[in-house]
Amino acid sequence: MKRRNSGVRSQESEVRRQNKKQDRVSKVRLVQSNLVMGLHTDPRAQVVSFWLLLFMLFEELRIRDVMIRPAHILAPMAGVTDTVFRRFIKRLGGCGLIMTEFVSSEGMLRQNLRSKRYLYYKPEERPISAQLFGADPDRLAEAARMIEDLGFDVVDLNLGCPAKKVVKCGGSGLLRDLPLLERILRTIRAAVRIPFTIKLRSGWSDTEIVAQEVARVAEECGVEALAVHPRTRQQGFSGRARWEIIQEVKSQVRIPVIGNGDVVTPQDALALHQQTGCDAVMVGRAASINPWIFRQLSDYFRTGTFTEPSDADRYQLIRSYYQMLVGEETPGAIGKMKQFASWFTHGIRGGAELCRSIQGSASTQEVLDRVDKFFSAPGVYSLSH
Ligand SMILES: Cc1cc2nc3c(=O)[nH]c(=O)nc-3n(C[C@H](O)[C@H](O)[C@H](O)COP(=O)(O)O)c2cc1C
């Protein structure tokens, strides 16, 4: 017992040390940012400061012993971020942490087949975080222990899902019951040794914004980082993400704060950092249209520029993702191919026609053939460069 207590104490002091370090880095970054934004009138000084600000931004984030390098995170997206998509993103480069789609604690405890599938991952995906949802403290804690036993690097709790059937038993519904939420956080924290994080919306509605309070409670309970998607449950995905809420959360806690919401380009990520001082950036929907976004972020923060993919790159992208789906005998592969067709064909000349052609295919082989045919049309999509 004594040994366990001293283990917990040394773990806590390591977390405190990491958080202080992260806090110092964030403060220096913010000072730089202010210099760029306001103090310089000399254009040359502004250019130098801009480079200083960009250089190595989001280079890394440590959540205790988990190194996230670079600090660019693929947001969990149900129906999208399965093991194939996660590996696909990881291989394109620039993504430091990936997360599973959310998994029901109840489904896990019932050994539900779908939950097992959601939790399947390959070593190349690491570091990887598994996201749970539920509302019963003990059952969530048991599910978190299972996640630890499965070898995940981080366990995350979903406090954001707006779906009707989820809010009755977790997700953003917990933002309306902070005493229950606190019990859940303490119970999960006590159950696992791996880092524990949360991902939250700003609140239930505009009159019930609770992100700051939740962040403070979470830090007190031993949560080690939190991701904020600053929309309310009532907003769904409409309107804009209110980044100022991320900044308010950041001002309340010492644990790392991950900024999320409406980041589509590297310039958006820079603006997000300037407005919030967040420690890492999380990208969701943009990654399904532009899976190169993470590599673009890395290039931008290293060199100040990034490239847009060519048609040949897009062809390779569609081909390799589809081949992964087929090669791994993914259940419902044809449905996934059709789902991704509308995203992946964005930005391709004649993309709408390709999308329609994929949607009309009857088999996975037919999809692959139609993609090949489209991109090999003479004179239009030269794949030789
Ligand atoms: C199709 C879809 C599924 C999502 N599933 C989850 C989920 O399982 N867990 C979660 O915390 N957030 C989920 N989200 C929210 C995203 O993780 C993210 O917070 C949101 O899309 C805002 O970020 P973005 O503007 O970069 O997309 C989902 C979003 C979408 C569009």
Side-chain angles (χ1 to χ4, degrees), residues 12 25 35 51 53 96 130 133 174 194 199 245 250 262 309 334 338 343 365 370 379:
E12 282 171 354
V25 172
L35 282 172
W51 277 99
L53 173 62
F133 81 91
L174 289 176
I194 52 174
K199 177 169 178 286
I245 292 177
K250 179 75 193 146
D262 299 349
I334 179 114
K338 291 182 181 180
W343 293 327
Q365 188 54 51
R370 287 184 178 197

Side-chain angles (χ1 to χ4, degrees), residues 283-314:
V283 180
R285 289 164 297 174
S288 34
I289 293 171
N290 172 21
W292 293 275
I293 178 72
F294 298 103
R295 204 173 64 198
Q296 290 176 336
L297 288 169
S298 288
D299 289 346
Y300 188 56
F301 295 131
R302 248 195 359 252
T303 66
T305 58
F306 63 93
T307 51
E308 291 293 349
S310 64
D311 279 347
D313 293 330
R314 289 183 187 279

Side-chain angles (χ1 to χ4, degrees), residues 75-78 101-102 131 158 199 229 237 260-262 283-285:
M77 287 184 287
E101 5 184 359
F102 69 162
Q131 191 187 59
N158 178 307
K199 177 169 178 286
H229 171 207
F237 286 90
N260 171 233
D262 299 349
V283 180
R285 289 164 297 174

Side-chain angles (χ1 to χ4, degrees), residues 155-157 159 185 196-200 214-215 218 223 225-228:
V155 60
D156 183 82
L157 179 68
L159 301 175
L185 297 178
F196 171 36
T197 62
I198 59 174
K199 177 169 178 286
L200 64 147
V214 169
V223 168
L226 48 92
V228 186

